[in-house]
Amino acid sequence: EAGVAQSPRYKIIEKRQSVAFWCNPISGHATLYWYQQILGQGPKLLIQFQNNGVVDDSQLPKDRFSAERLKGVDSTLKIQPAKLEDSAVYLCASSSRVSPTANTEAFFGQGTRLTVV
Amino acid sequence: QKEVEQDPGPLSVPEGAIVSLNCTYSNSAFQYFMWYRQYSRKGPELLMYTYSSGNKEDGRFTAQVDKSSKYISLFIRDSQPSDSATYLCAMRVTGTASKLTFGTGTRLQVTL
């Protein structure tokens, strides 16, 4: 089974520039997550999709971050304009959890390491 | 106060030692408890999964959940240098759309 694919692996941009990350989840997984992991911290959920719809984006800085999931498969996360504090690893994960008691949990991609200078 | 607290370490142990990693949490609605292992420059990978209170064993790994104390643990027996990684606890409430809340992670180093 292929894992969660993310690209690019690394990105360096100047502050105020824009950047986009791409994620291809595991085939058939309805739930897709974007997490931000700042160095030395645990992942923080930015946005969660169930198929095409947004389930939770309460911690997404909507003035600069946007995300979409077209056709319920691939997803892109965009930052515009970037700030220094956006330097982090952006992790995409997917899950096939379809019932409250299902024990299929989130599988993570390798992440995109963003450095804003 | 964070919902999930985890000692960031680093924790250094000799090969063969028993390792104990712990998290405390404040949200009594959490029902699902997980441990993820994250190697440097990699994404987290699911190591152990437990529903509600109790113990679960998988090879050298044992996960314990004490909901009355809001405390979870991961024990690693006969630790190996390949166990050197950051260990993240994560938990969520019941529901198909519930999100994972992570601890900060504990960095473990197993030395020869």
Side-chain angles (χ1 to χ4, degrees), chain A:
Chain A
E1 179 181 71
V4 176
Q6 288 189 249
S7 67
R9 285 295 313 277
Y10 305 92
K11 191 74 177 178
I12 300 174
I13 62 172
E14 295 183 350
K15 59 184 179 183
R16 292 187 288 274
Q17 284 187 325
S18 63
V19 65
F21 312 126
W22 174 82
C23 173
N24 180 236
I26 293 173
S27 177
H29 280 193
T31 308
L32 185 147
Y33 316 79
W34 283 102
Y35 283 85
Q36 180 193 57
Q37 187 174 23
I38 293 172
L39 186 65
Q41 298 182 20
K44 182 185 82 171
L45 181 70
L46 293 175
I47 189 166
Q48 178 178 341
F49 292 94
Q50 185 76 14
N51 296 310
N52 286 348
V54 175
V55 173
D56 186 339
D57 63 356
S58 57
Q59 297 191 92
L60 186 74
K62 298 181 185 64
D63 58 334
R64 298 184 301 106
F65 286 64
S66 65
E68 61 181 5
R69 189 181 186 196
L70 298 175
K71 300 180 182 178
V73 182
D74 292 5
S75 177
T76 55
L77 176 70
K78 297 179 182 177
I79 307 175
Q80 182 179 16
K83 292 185 175 181
L84 296 176
E85 59 260 36
D86 298 332
S87 294
V89 175
Y90 291 84
L91 294 162
C92 179
S94 70
S95 169
S96 66
R97 188 180 350 135
V98 295
S99 75
T101 57
N103 66 352
T104 301
E105 292 301 329
F107 294 87
F108 284 81
Q110 294 203 71
T112 296
R113 184 175 297 271
L114 174 67
T115 302
V116 182
V117 298

Side-chain angles (χ1 to χ4, degrees), chain B residues 17-87:
Chain B
I18 296 174
V19 176
S20 172
L21 304 168
N22 312 292
C23 288
T24 59
Y25 62 95
S26 57
N27 187 349
S28 57
F30 285 140
Q31 293 278 10
Y32 296 84
F33 304 91
M34 284 132 283
W35 287 94
Y36 282 82
R37 179 174 60 194
Q38 187 173 26
Y39 290 113
S40 180
R41 299 187 179 273
K42 298 288 187 182
E45 57 176 330
L46 183 64
L47 198 59
M48 296 287 284
Y49 169 97
T50 310
Y51 171 69
S52 194
S53 284
N55 295 356
K56 188 172 184 178
E57 188 173 323
D58 184 1
R60 297 185 295 110
F61 299 90
T62 299
Q64 287 186 352
V65 175
D66 182 350
K67 290 191 69 181
S68 63
S69 302
K70 298 190 180 69
Y71 187 87
I72 70 170
S73 301
L74 177 71
F75 297 95
I76 307 174
R77 292 183 298 281
D78 188 23
S79 56
Q80 303 294 309
S82 58
D83 295 328
S84 299
T86 295
Y87 289 80

